[in-house]
Amino acid sequence: VGGRWRFAIAGADGSSPTWTWGIYREIVAPERLVFSYSMDWHRHETLVSIAFEDLGDATLMRFRQAEFLTDDDCADHSWGWLSALDKLGDHISRMYSIGILNMDIFRIERPDGVAEDIAEARRRAEQELRERPGDTVPPSVEARKSMVPPPQH
């Protein structure tokens, strides 16, 4: 908890990436992950909570992200999460169909894959915090602070 994360969402059309970042607020393996979420073009922080439920042969993930300044922001983020998860599912299906997804990874005995993933994310966040203390916002975002933000929907 307290570790930082960040990533860039690159446009398929080659447009400039949109940076997102946040701080892990709560990690309860294997049940819940809570983190702050900010984007470079609106600078408003929200809180994302993801609850994981083991269904035996699958994991149910329940997402909640709040508080939004406008209904449009809420709708945009909802679309973004759905789009990202759909694309992940499509990518995994394509990998499986062409034989490059090793299904043995799902048969390996382990106490809980979700808990291990969360623990690894925490380890990486703590390592990044040690290596780059105070560096939660990518340099490209800092350079954009003086720019006029894009119009809201």
Side-chain angles (χ1 to χ4, degrees), residues 8 17-19 40 137-145 147:
T18 297
W19 282 95
D40 60 353
V137 180
S140 62
V141 172
E142 288 298 326
R144 290 187 206 170
K145 282 184 179 177
M147 297 174 65

Side-chain angles (χ1 to χ4, degrees), residues 14-25:
S15 59
S16 296
T18 297
W19 282 95
T20 61
W21 63 89
I23 298 173
Y24 291 102
R25 302 292 185 194

Side-chain angles (χ1 to χ4, degrees), residues 93-102:
S93 293
R94 279 194 302 276
M95 289 173 61
Y96 179 75
S97 70
I98 62 175
I100 61 172
L101 178 64
N102 183 350

